[in-house]
Amino acid sequence: MFKGILIEKDDAGYRATLRDIEESQLPEGDVTVNVQYSTLNYKDGLAITGKGPVVRKFPLVPGIDLVGTVESSSHEGIAVGDAVVLNGWGVGEGHWGGLAQKARLKGEWLVPLPKAFTPKQAMAIGTAGYTAMLCVLALERHGVTPDKGEILVTGANGGVGSVAVTLLAKLGYTVVASTGRPQEADYLKSLGAADVIDRAQFSAAGRPLAKERWAGAVDTVGSHTLANVCASTRYRGVVTACGLAQGMDFPATVAPFILRGVTLAGVDSVMCPRADRLEAWARLARDLDVGKLDLITHEIALSDAIPAAAELLDGKIRGRVVVDVNR
Ligand code: NDP
């Protein structure tokens, strides 16, 4: 038996509970992992509360991230005792995930724990941090260098936003953090934001084109915010879109793209190919100030994860939440 969160949906309704789970219930896979830490991402919040259609199979253990040591493996190249990290691949959505003491997974999904990070630090980064790095890589690939001008990060107090601010500032970019929590301005400045602005200016329908300001952007919010960010991006600027915290819609016009040559670059972490994941983790090891990770992160016990999921969706949690699944 091991402890884990189980999501069920039946005549009694949709519910997540912490319970003892039989090892025989674990799904198929060629690697079994003793999980040390998992995390809470926005998607885990949706899965645990049932507020979004994230879970595709019931019952299911949520948790799109995990770090742990290999207990058994028949996968070539992965041995008992290896420290491994998992992000995405539909784990915590259609395959049992990390919010439990054990997980059974496909070896091809796993990446080695980078030597630069402890298991807890790897989860402080988690899918949110690795996605932030994918956004930075996309900006770089499209030629956005620090000398080009200001970079906007929306949802800056969230997990992706906090890591994006930290990474971009360390790389020498001038970062403007957009948030609905101006009381956290000192926190965002301690991560490296040069300026903190109120997200309200992006929240409602805007004009097709606005005053040009951003050389680049990391948008975690979607909806009107993404439309307004594109409208205020400078000639040939680049907007990376990875999130939908405001909404899935994109009520925009083509004006920024056809009149200012703005590039909208989509970022997906879930099915991202292994080579790009390894690059992102290698760059995190090189470019992330681990001292700042402590500022971004707080740790909770597995037993606290269910209430914390609701708080995350209510925008009450700052930065990243690491879950110690063994307490
Ligand atoms: P968090 O909940 O940690 O952060 C989301 C932040 O968005 C909040 O902290 C808040 O920031 C802001 N926000 C929330 N509601 C609204 C709103 N109505 N209008 C404007 N801003 C809002 O989530 P994560 O950082 O884990 O994820 C952020 C987004 O990125 C999510 O939509 C998630 O699904 C997506 N994501 C996508 C990935 C991919 O592969 N494409 C991978 C990881 C995440 P503040 O208080 O500063 O305003």
Side-chain angles (χ1 to χ4, degrees):
M1 299 281 261
F2 63 93
K3 286 212 182 308
I5 292 175
L6 201 66
I7 299 177
E8 293 161 286
K9 188 183 174 190
D10 51 30
D11 292 344
Y14 189 105
R15 61 199 178 279
T17 44
L18 178 64
R19 57 166 66 193
D20 290 322
I21 300 171
E22 297 269 1
E23 202 155 334
S24 61
Q25 286 179 265
L26 281 170
E28 299 227 324
D30 51 7
V31 180
T32 303
V33 176
N34 286 316
V35 182
Q36 289 165 287
Y37 295 98
S38 184
T39 73
L40 281 185
N41 293 278
Y42 192 83
K43 201 180 255 178
D44 302 314
L46 293 175
I48 290 172
T49 59
K51 284 194 176 151
V54 166
V55 178
R56 299 194 301 269
K57 195 171 160 187
F58 298 91
L60 182 113
V61 172
I64 66 171
D65 284 329
L66 65 86
V67 65
T69 52
V70 173
E71 182 192 85
S72 64
S73 168
S74 57
H75 190 91
E76 205 186 322
I78 298 181
V80 172
D82 282 358
V84 290
V85 175
L86 175 126
N87 308 108
W89 292 117
V91 172
E93 301 180 60
H95 186 100
W96 285 23
L99 285 164
Q101 290 171 312
K102 271 186 206 289
R104 187 164 296 138
L105 304 153
K106 286 191 186 174
E108 68 207 49
W109 293 338
L110 301 168
V111 296
L113 171 69
K115 289 200 172 25
F117 302 124
T118 63
K120 190 176 161 185
Q121 285 169 337
M123 284 297 100
I125 297 164
T127 289
Y130 138 70
T131 302
M133 191 74 230
L134 292 175
C135 292
V136 172
L137 290 168
L139 290 174
E140 288 181 352
R141 254 180 226 130
H142 286 93
V144 182
T145 43
D147 57 303
K148 293 269 166 69
E150 292 173 311
I151 308 294
L152 178 69
V153 176
T154 62
N157 271 299
V160 177
S162 292
V163 181
V165 170
T166 308
L167 278 170
L168 288 162
K170 168 96 186 296
L171 288 166
Y173 291 91
T174 305
V175 184
V176 177
S178 165
T179 182
R181 288 181 266 181
Q183 69 276 18
E184 299 289 1
D186 287 345
Y187 160 74
L188 292 166
K189 286 188 174 162
S190 72
L191 300 184
D195 197 5
V196 178
I197 60 174
D198 189 340
R199 77 183 190 196
Q201 65 188 276
F202 302 114
S203 298
R207 286 178 290 143
L209 289 174
K211 188 169 183 295
E212 292 181 54
R213 180 159 180 193
W214 321 114
V218 173
D219 179 62
T220 70
V221 171
S223 190
H224 290 299
T225 300
L226 178 57
N228 287 319
V229 170
C230 290
S232 52
T233 294
R234 283 163 58 171
Y235 191 78
R236 291 212 161 180
V238 180
V239 178
T240 58
C242 71
L244 43 60
Q246 184 181 13
M248 179 103 127
D249 57 332
F250 181 41
T253 77
V254 296
F257 313 116
I258 65 171
L259 298 176
R260 290 187 181 157
V262 167
T263 296
L264 180 57
V267 171
D268 165 61
S269 67
V270 179
M271 302 309 289
C272 177
R274 185 178 169 82
D276 293 22
R277 289 169 186 259
L278 292 172
E279 183 189 5
W281 277 102
R283 284 290 304 272
L284 283 159
R286 196 190 88 180
D287 296 327
L288 185 65
D289 183 344
V290 287
K292 297 259 164 76
L293 264 186
D294 286 343
L295 287 176
I296 294 176
T297 311
H298 78 277
E299 186 187 309
I300 62 172
L302 186 60
S303 54
D304 297 327
I306 294 173
E311 286 175 34
L312 182 105
L313 290 191
D314 287 344
K316 290 186 184 145
I317 289 184
R318 187 179 86 176
R320 298 278 300 137
V321 184
V322 171
V323 183
D324 180 348
V325 299
N326 295 303
R327 72 175 176 91

